[in-house]
Amino acid sequence: MPVTFPSEPFFQALAAAMAGAHERFRGLGFFDATIGIRVLPDDESGAERLFVLAFEVFECTLAEEVPNFTPFRVDFVLEGKASVWREMFENIRQNGGADVAHSINTLTHFGEQLTLRYDDPDGHDKLYRFAESIQQFFDLAATLDGITYDGGPWGASSTHAAPAA
């Protein structure tokens, strides 16, 4: 059954996929971080959506939509327009994982597509320390049955089935 991005069920589906892929993450080492995801509207008519993802060892222990990040003490926030997130997830879906141009590392490097926000230098460090684990988490979108996208320039909703993994 397809899940809609951006939504709490989308990130929970990635968390469930991670729970079934411990070997994929075990080789990357322990992954302990709390990440904020801010999905900005593509135009002035929409509202931003905020999500918190908490990782401990080889699991995503929290995937929740939130009204603000304050009580969660996120290490860093990945922020970008809905169309940028959609392009990244479509690239992952089409290729079975992000290509170099659509990786978190590339998209945040110059702050042009996704912006990295943090209050503490340790937060900045955690993005790069756990970059491969974060990328592998997002790459699990290729294993989902399908993804629909809510809002954005592509219309109110569009559906794309993911390839067989």
Side-chain angles (χ1 to χ4, degrees):
M1 172 180 235
V3 292
T4 300
F5 179 86
S7 72
E8 186 172 301
F10 174 81
F11 289 110
Q12 289 173 343
L14 291 180
M18 185 179 190
H22 278 198
E23 289 307 312
R24 183 175 185 166
F25 291 88
R26 191 172 307 279
L28 300 173
F30 293 134
F31 179 19
D32 294 308
T34 302
I35 301 170
I37 302 293
R38 178 177 281 127
V39 181
L40 301 170
D42 288 309
D43 58 34
E44 302 299 319
S45 66
E48 70 179 15
R49 307 276 300 271
L50 306 176
F51 303 90
V52 171
L53 306 173
F55 299 92
E56 294 178 19
V57 187
F58 307 118
E59 294 183 36
C60 180
T61 58
L62 177 70
E64 184 177 315
E65 186 163 10
V66 298
N68 65 68
F69 296 129
T70 304
F72 298 95
R73 297 184 186 166
V74 297
D75 294 306
F76 60 87
V77 175
L78 293 173
E79 173 183 296
K81 291 189 175 191
S83 57
V84 173
W85 289 103
R86 178 200 173 156
E87 184 178 330
M88 181 187 77
F89 285 119
E90 278 300 291
N91 179 267
I92 288 168
R93 185 188 68 76
Q94 292 168 2
N95 297 306
D99 65 16
V100 173
H102 294 90
S103 71
I104 292 298
N105 188 42
T106 300
L107 293 173
T108 61
H109 189 66
F110 296 110
E112 295 171 1
Q113 300 293 313
L114 293 180
T115 302
L116 170 63
R117 302 205 182 277
Y118 54 92
D119 292 329
D120 182 329
D122 189 47
H124 182 262
D125 178 63
K126 281 192 174 187
L127 171 66
Y128 296 105
R129 186 177 342 146
F130 300 126
E132 187 61 30
S133 294
I134 295 165
Q135 189 63 61
Q136 288 296 316
F137 178 77
F138 287 138
D139 284 354
L140 289 169
T143 68
L144 301 180
D145 289 336
I147 302 172
T148 61
Y149 297 94
D150 188 19
W154 47 87
S157 179
S158 64
T159 305
H160 299 279

